[in-house]
Structures are given as structure tokens and as C-alpha cells.
Amino acid sequence: MEEINKIWQIFMMAVLFSVGIKCLSPKEYATKYLVGLGVVIVCACLPWLVMDRECLFLLFPCAIFYLCLDKDMRSYNIIVLFSVYVITCLMDQILTTICVKELHIQLEQLQDMGNYYSAILCGVEVLLSVVGNYMIGKYLKKRIYPKMMSYPKKVLILIAAYITSMVFVFAFNILAEKKIGYSQTTLSFNLILFSIYFIVSFFLLIFIVRANAEASRTKLQLIQYENLKEYTNNIERMHMELRAFKHDYINIMTSMMGYLEEKNYDGLEVYFTEHIIPLNGKLRESSFNLNQLMNIKQPEIKGLLSAKLIYASEMGVDVTIEVLETIEKMNVNIIDISRILGIYLDNAIEASLETETPKIGVSIIKEKEFVIILITNSFINRNIIINQMFQKDFSSKGEARGIGLYNVSQILKAYPNIYRDTFVENNEFCQKLVIE
């Protein structure tokens, strides 16, 4: 009976950690990857069949080694693995307390591997832990992970170190409890300690996320202010150019009238070609329909687009803008859409400048309940698989330069109302967002 009970509990631990990783991890892992983790945990726990319970802690270095094979998610996976353990410890303390104080089951019976109490307790504990992991994971994926993806690596390491220290505290208390003997006093103490530690840690994580989000928001607002200032200055400059053009309009017409009065059509043609056409091109080059941005009523988006497109024009990129209808508001957080558009435009400018005829187009179209944003650019086709472009650190121009599109993917996970499409059409690279 004892061996069967141990095998059952080893199997339950493999299920618990595999499902816990699936629930809490920000990455959607394939089933075969989670099955592999379960196999690693089972193998790490097999020595328990012939040794003391303390050997179960071998599963942590084995599981960490397996999870760290995914180098892009190392910090996250360590945080998630230890979080699953912490939640399980909390559930174990709660269930054990209920069994002892409410159901009047002796602690010795719960610890005895030779009866059904420990097997039933293990099964219920795993079930409740999975439910807890699912609920917490749902909250984290919706509220926390999209903001954490842009955090500096040192912040993630700090969070991982804190979760690791919590695991050591929990493990130390469990081992100490076994050494000094199980009692209702130590059981109550551990339950209170674990509960306080878990609650404080959870709210500390939320505080860190919100503090970093506030810092990012402040930084973005400063950038948006500078963008809007640049947009205003450009509008003023265009206004002054238009006034100057109107001032010279009479002189231009008068000079042309002289050719007409003398019926000097050849001279008029030369004058028009050498003086009027270049003036028209210069005026168009300085404005490139920037006035269409006036249809965007969100100043943050207007300022961002203006700054990026003015920069592109100054770099020699042929810029076209199409915003024919008034865009009052988009159903997305202003910081998130600013980050996404900033990444798309930076990539578009960089890619277009590699071509002989750099070109960028931005269209924002309103259709009933949808807002469609389309950004196109000329590019050198290197036959890259589009899905690979959204992987972390992927870049066609070297390492550590592909973080942008990966961040876009992580941000959009929090928005089921946004459809993203990336494709190539008419030798142009296209990024499309459909916001419901």
C-alpha cells in the first residue's frame, strides 16, 4: 500500500507542476513540452520509493534545468515553477488544518503513507492547486504579463530571487516541522505564516508591476509631449510657408503675364519648367498631406505619427498618409497602441531606407465598428518566414535586434478585440491592425 501511495503522489506531483506551468506561464507551451516536464519530475521523484521524503526536493533542480532549456523564458519559468510550489504548500496547510480541526483526523494518519487518508488528501490538494493556478494565471495573463514583458531583465531576476527565497522559507518550515514533531500549534503557525507570506508577495508583485507601468507611462507621456510639440511646430512652419507662397503668388502671376502679353510661349514654358514646377515639388515635399492627421482626435497618436513621419521624410523617404474620416478614439490603451505603432513605424523606416526608392504609407480607415490601421513600406525581400519575425531576439540584421515585434505579440495577447495581420503585397511589407 505504501509503495502504491507513493507512486500515486509522484504522479500527482508531475500533473500538478505540468498543469501549473501551463496555467501560470506567459508562454503557451505545446503539450509534448509539458509531458516532457512531467517525465522529468517523475524521474526526479523516483528515489523517494526507497529513500526519505526530503529527496523530493531533487525535482526542483531537475525541473529548473529542463525549463531553462527555453532560454527566452528562463526568469519567467523559475518564477512560475516556484509559484506553483508556493500555492501547493498553501493549499496543503489549509487542507491539513481543515482535516485536523474540522474533520478530527489525526496528523499521524495524514502523514502515514500506509492508509488512504494521505492519498485522498494529495488528490484533493492537487485539484484545488490546479484550480488556484488557473484562476491566478488568468489574472496574470490579462493584467500583469503584458506589462512585465517590457521590464528590464534585472527586475525579473529580482522577482525570481524573491520567489526563490520564499520557497526556501516554506521548505525550511516544512523540514523543521517534521524534525520537532507535528502538532496543531506548528500547523496553525505555518498556515498563518504561509498565508501572510503569499498575500504579501502577491500584492508586492502587483505593486512592482504598477510602479513600473507608471514609470513607463510617465516616460511615454514625455515622449508624446515632444512629439506633439514637433507636430505643432511643423504645422506652424507649413502655415508660414503657405503665407509666403501666397505673398509671392501675385509676383509669380505677374511674371507669367509678361510672357503671355508678348506671346512668348517658349519662354513661358522654360520659366514654368525651371521655376514653377520645382516650387510646387518643394511645397508638396514639405507637407506630404500632413494635414490629414488633423482627423485623428487623440493627440498622443497624432503627435507620434507626425514625429515619425516627419523624420522619415527628412531622411528621404516618400511618405503618404491617408486618414479620410475622423478617428475619435480606439478601443485600446493609449500607451499600448503608441508602443505598437512606434515599433511598426521604426521598423518600416529602417527597412525602407535599405531600398533604392524608400517609401512608407500609413492609412487609418474607419469602418462601422472597426478602425483599420495599415502601415506599408518598401523593403528588401530576404524570404523570411513571417511567423519567425515575432519570436524573441529574431532579426534579419543580427542578434538582439528583434525584440520589437515580439513585444507587439505580447501586448496584443491582452486584446482579443484586435486582429493583426502581416503580409507582403505588391513588393511592399504590410502591417495591419483591425481594432474592434
Side-chain angles (χ1 to χ4, degrees):
M1 178 62 191
E2 182 176 348
E3 286 75 16
I4 295 176
N5 202 348
K6 286 183 177 180
I7 292 173
W8 163 253
Q9 294 198 24
I10 290 173
F11 174 74
M12 284 289 97
M13 279 189 285
V15 171
L16 170 66
F17 282 97
S18 297
V19 176
I21 292 293
K22 179 175 178 60
C23 292
L24 293 183
S25 178
K27 182 175 181 178
E28 297 295 333
Y29 282 111
T31 302
K32 62 181 181 179
Y33 182 87
L34 299 173
V35 171
L37 175 62
V39 172
V40 169
I41 291 175
V42 168
C43 295
C45 294
L46 285 178
W48 184 34
L49 296 176
V50 294
M51 298 173 65
D52 292 335
R53 192 180 186 91
E54 286 78 2
C55 69
L56 290 176
F57 288 104
L58 288 173
L59 73 87
F60 287 109
C62 296
I64 290 173
F65 175 79
Y66 180 82
L67 292 172
C68 285
L69 294 178
D70 184 357
K71 63 180 182 179
D72 294 337
M73 302 295 293
R74 285 174 181 170
S75 298
Y76 288 103
N77 284 340
I78 292 175
I79 294 173
V80 169
L81 177 68
F82 286 156
S83 296
V84 172
Y85 175 73
V86 168
I87 293 171
T88 304
C89 288
L90 184 60
M91 291 296 177
D92 178 70
Q93 293 297 317
I94 293 174
L95 288 174
T96 303
T97 302
I98 293 174
C99 290
V100 172
K101 294 193 174 183
E102 302 298 330
L103 302 180
H104 305 291
I105 302 174
Q106 298 296 320
L107 275 170
E108 291 76 11
Q109 291 178 298
L110 296 175
Q111 298 296 329
D112 185 7
M113 300 299 297
N115 59 57
Y116 292 103
Y117 285 117
S118 60
I120 295 174
L121 178 64
C122 176
V124 175
E125 178 183 314
V126 169
L127 177 61
L128 292 180
S129 297
V130 168
V131 172
N133 288 329
Y134 173 78
M135 295 176 65
I136 294 174
K138 193 172 182 179
Y139 174 81
L140 293 176
K141 290 178 180 180
K142 184 175 181 181
R143 301 286 185 180
I144 304 298
Y145 287 149
K147 299 176 183 177
M148 289 181 64
M149 289 301 169
S150 59
Y151 283 7
K153 193 171 183 180
K154 60 182 181 182
V155 176
L156 298 178
I157 294 175
L158 180 63
I159 295 175
Y162 179 78
I163 298 292
T164 304
S165 68
M166 192 192 321
V167 169
F168 279 111
V169 171
F170 281 25
F172 175 80
N173 275 271
I174 293 172
L175 295 175
E177 184 181 35
K178 181 178 180 181
K179 179 165 286 190
I180 65 178
Y182 298 103
S183 67
Q184 291 193 20
T185 302
T186 56
L187 186 64
S188 300
F189 173 79
N190 277 344
L191 176 60
I192 295 172
L193 176 65
F194 287 8
S195 300
I196 293 175
Y197 216 141
F198 178 80
I199 294 171
V200 170
S201 301
F202 188 76
F203 281 101
L204 181 62
L205 174 62
I206 294 176
F207 172 78
I208 292 174
V209 170
R210 289 184 175 177
N212 278 272
E214 187 63 30
S216 298
R217 187 179 296 110
T218 302
K219 182 178 179 180
L220 183 60
Q221 286 175 345
L222 290 174
I223 295 174
Q224 290 171 347
Y225 171 76
E226 294 297 327
N227 290 340
L228 191 58
K229 185 178 177 181
E230 179 67 24
Y231 172 76
T232 304
N233 292 337
N234 191 69
I235 292 294
E236 292 177 353
R237 179 176 59 82
M238 289 171 56
H239 179 67
M240 295 299 295
E241 289 180 354
L242 184 59
R243 287 184 61 185
F245 180 79
K246 288 180 177 179
H247 182 268
D248 293 337
Y249 177 77
I250 297 177
N251 294 332
I252 294 173
M253 292 297 102
T254 301
S255 62
M256 294 176 63
M257 187 64 67
Y259 287 102
L260 291 173
E261 289 176 351
E262 296 178 3
K263 297 184 180 182
N264 185 2
Y265 300 117
D266 292 335
L268 177 61
E269 182 180 0
V270 173
Y271 176 80
F272 187 83
T273 303
E274 293 182 354
H275 299 282
I276 305 301
I277 292 179
L279 181 62
N280 180 53
K282 182 179 180 181
L283 185 62
R284 289 174 55 191
E285 181 182 350
S286 64
S287 60
F288 57 84
N289 291 329
L290 193 64
N291 61 307
Q292 290 203 23
L293 292 181
M294 296 176 65
N295 290 329
I296 301 175
K297 300 306 178 182
Q298 289 182 283
E300 300 90 347
I301 303 300
K302 184 189 298 182
L304 173 67
L305 292 176
S306 172
K308 296 292 185 183
L309 297 179
I310 290 172
Y311 168 76
S313 180
E314 292 174 348
M315 295 295 293
V317 180
D318 181 16
V319 178
T320 58
I321 306 173
E322 183 181 356
V323 189
L324 300 180
E325 297 185 55
T326 300
I327 308 297
E328 295 287 349
K329 188 177 181 181
M330 302 180 195
N331 188 21
V332 57
N333 181 275
I334 191 64
I335 294 178
D336 290 337
I337 190 63
S338 296
R339 290 174 59 194
I340 292 171
L341 293 179
I343 291 169
Y344 279 173
L345 289 170
D346 286 340
N347 290 345
I349 294 170
E350 183 178 4
S352 66
L353 288 174
E354 296 177 356
T355 63
E356 294 182 359
T357 56
K359 182 169 60 173
I360 290 178
V362 176
S363 300
I364 303 180
I365 305 166
K366 186 177 181 180
E367 290 188 359
K368 295 182 180 180
E369 298 178 355
F370 298 90
V371 174
I372 302 173
I373 302 175
L374 179 63
I375 299 176
T376 62
N377 61 272
S378 57
F379 77 113
I380 297 176
N381 194 341
R382 297 184 174 91
N383 296 320
I384 298 172
I385 300 175
I386 289 179
N387 288 337
Q388 292 181 346
M389 300 177 64
F390 295 91
Q391 297 177 1
K392 190 174 182 181
D393 293 332
F394 174 84
S395 176
S396 61
K397 298 182 68 179
E399 297 184 356
R401 298 189 62 178
I403 194 70
L405 293 179
Y406 173 79
N407 279 345
V408 170
S409 298
Q410 300 306 314
I411 294 171
L412 291 179
K413 284 183 178 180
Y415 294 97
N417 63 310
I418 298 180
Y419 167 76
R420 178 193 67 194
D421 192 16
T422 302
F423 55 95
V424 175
E425 187 175 83
N426 298 327
N427 295 322
E428 290 186 338
F429 188 81
C430 307
Q431 297 275 16
K432 183 178 181 181
L433 289 177
V434 180
I435 305 174
E436 185 177 357

